[in-house]
Amino acid sequence: MANGVEEQGAGIYAGDADQLTADGLRADLLRVLDDESFAANALRLSAGIRSLPTPNEVVPLLQDLVLRHRER
């Protein structure tokens, strides 16, 4: 997931825990906090996710499809 967030410009993959340093983490955090594009891209991703149907909306549709398929 972290790599996907980075690919979308909404964050930075800080690295594997065994290779992470305090200085590296600090530099990455400052970059994310200082560069407004990260916040803008995070908001864009958030809006996209919120526009998706909820499980409560999807499950009945899937149940209906399964029932129709079984009747064939």
Side-chain angles (χ1 to χ4, degrees):
M1 178 179 249
N3 289 337
V5 170
E6 183 176 38
E7 289 170 4
Q8 296 293 320
I12 295 175
Y13 178 68
D16 296 328
D18 61 339
Q19 298 176 352
L20 194 60
T21 66
D23 289 338
L25 181 59
R26 183 178 190 280
D28 288 344
L29 287 172
L30 289 174
R31 180 174 168 213
V32 169
L33 293 172
D34 291 339
D35 185 338
E36 294 178 8
S37 70
F38 288 104
N41 288 325
L43 287 172
R44 178 182 51 78
L45 287 176
S46 175
I49 291 168
R50 283 185 310 219
S51 72
L52 296 172
T54 67
N56 287 339
E57 295 167 326
V58 173
V59 168
L61 298 173
L62 293 174
Q63 288 173 326
D64 187 46
L65 287 172
V66 168
L67 290 175
R68 279 195 238 160
H69 179 72
R70 284 185 182 169
E71 293 173 358
R72 291 182 183 189

